Amino acid sequence: MKGSLLYEGKAKKVYHVTDNDNQLVLSYKNDATAFNGKKKDSFEGKGRLNNLITSRVFEYLNQQHIPSHFIEALNETEQLVQKTTIIPLEVVVRNVAAGSLTRRLAIQEKTKLQPPIIELFYKKDELDDPLINDDHAKLLAGVTEHELDQIKIEALKINEVLKGLFLQAGLTLVDFKLEFGRFDDNTIVLADEISPDTCRLWDVETGEKMDKDVFRESIGNLIEVYETILQRLEEKLCTK
């Protein structure tokens, strides 16, 4: 099934599918990067964990009628997805103040944001993925005003679903990054991944950071944290 390598990114390799031009295989790597690639390392088993966590989350989102590119997990490190053309936007939904928001706007960390804040970043590594406004997004990402509205509505819908899922697993969804892509018919759907690499998650009881901030800030064992998240999600999803 897996054909030639199409593209290699920071966290995944993307392969053609030999017998279907409309599908791709995503292969998750063990690499970890932070600060737009300025900090790098590799952790044995990280690719497996991100693939399995993302697969569980996307399966749950599909059950909640959230359309995405995800088809199925193929094995512990790979998943089959529908081919999309990625829109060069990172859509960040913030429920609690953390990270760059606190530094940019001097908002105290842990401040609850109600309603949630949506921020847009231009997906361009050489520019360090700059924060942009709606007009910039329409110009740079090739989206119409209506499509941008659709993307924001879908992001908020996904936020509500994920907040509930992670809360059941004893985790607060602080903020997270989404990417969207287009099918051949121009339909826009959720794409990429949803994992501790792309979400900030704090333990509900202790406030402990349970995401890639463990690596960013060198404050814990990344693999142990990701294993805990997978176990909690599987326990909750298996009981449904």
Side-chain angles (χ1 to χ4, degrees):
M1 173 184 283
K2 186 168 76 175
S4 59
L5 179 68
L6 174 64
Y7 169 78
E8 180 171 356
K10 296 173 189 172
K12 296 183 285 294
K13 293 181 180 180
V14 181
Y15 293 88
H16 293 284
V17 172
T18 53
D19 56 351
N20 193 324
D21 291 339
N22 291 317
Q23 295 178 351
L24 299 170
V25 172
L26 304 186
S27 180
Y28 284 72
K29 298 161 57 176
N30 289 330
D31 295 348
T33 63
F35 311 115
N36 202 29
K38 294 179 179 66
K39 181 176 182 178
K40 301 178 183 178
D41 207 337
S42 182
F43 298 89
E44 186 64 34
K46 177 178 178 290
R48 166 187 166 270
L49 290 165
N50 272 357
N51 175 56
L52 294 179
I53 290 169
T54 293
S55 295
R56 301 296 180 268
V57 171
F58 270 84
E59 287 165 0
Y60 184 75
L61 288 173
N62 286 347
Q63 291 168 11
Q64 306 305 310
H65 310 293
I66 303 289
S68 76
H69 72 161
F70 179 82
I71 298 174
E72 63 178 340
L74 296 173
N75 51 53
E76 289 203 328
T77 60
E78 296 177 330
Q79 58 189 231
L80 184 68
V81 301
Q82 197 76 12
K83 186 176 181 179
T84 65
T85 301
I86 294 294
I87 297 168
L89 285 178
E90 294 183 350
V91 182
V92 175
V93 182
R94 300 185 183 275
N95 297 305
V96 182
S100 65
L101 183 74
T102 63
R103 296 189 294 273
R104 281 187 280 113
L105 302 179
I107 300 175
Q108 186 173 355
E109 187 178 69
K110 300 184 181 180
T111 301
K112 292 184 179 179
L113 306 171
Q114 191 57 249
I117 290 174
I118 293 180
E119 294 184 326
L120 303 175
F121 295 82
Y122 183 35
K123 190 174 166 62
K124 198 79 167 176
D125 283 346
E126 54 267 41
L127 298 177
D128 284 340
D129 302 335
L131 176 68
I132 60 175
N133 63 29
D134 287 11
D135 288 334
H136 295 145
K138 287 182 281 187
L139 173 68
L140 298 170
V143 291
T144 66
E145 186 170 353
H146 175 67
E147 287 173 334
L148 195 54
D149 288 343
Q150 280 186 309
I151 286 171
K152 290 181 179 180
I153 289 169
E154 195 71 2
L156 290 174
K157 188 186 301 182
I158 293 166
N159 183 43
E160 288 305 309
V161 172
L162 290 184
K163 278 198 304 182
L165 173 63
F166 284 120
L167 186 59
Q168 291 178 66
L171 299 164
T172 298
L173 180 58
V174 174
D175 58 39
F176 62 104
K177 176 193 68 126
L178 297 175
E179 293 186 24
F180 292 84
R182 295 181 188 272
F183 288 149
D184 287 342
D185 65 1
N186 233 26
T187 301
I188 295 175
V189 298
L190 176 65
D192 196 46
E193 68 177 282
I194 297 177
S195 73
D197 273 12
T198 63
C199 301
R200 274 195 177 86
L201 301 165
W202 294 346
D203 185 272
V204 168
E205 293 185 0
T206 67
E208 180 185 1
K209 295 180 179 181
M210 305 282 288
D211 54 66
K212 198 166 71 170
D213 276 350
V214 168
F215 168 65
R216 288 189 188 96
E217 302 173 18
S218 302
I219 56 174
N221 186 307
L222 180 139
I223 295 300
E224 288 181 3
V225 167
Y226 283 28
E227 281 280 10
T228 298
I229 291 171
L230 178 61
Q231 290 169 6
R232 290 190 189 185
L233 284 175
E234 289 188 331
E235 285 173 5
K236 294 305 173 184
L237 291 173
C238 285
T239 60
K240 288 188 177 295

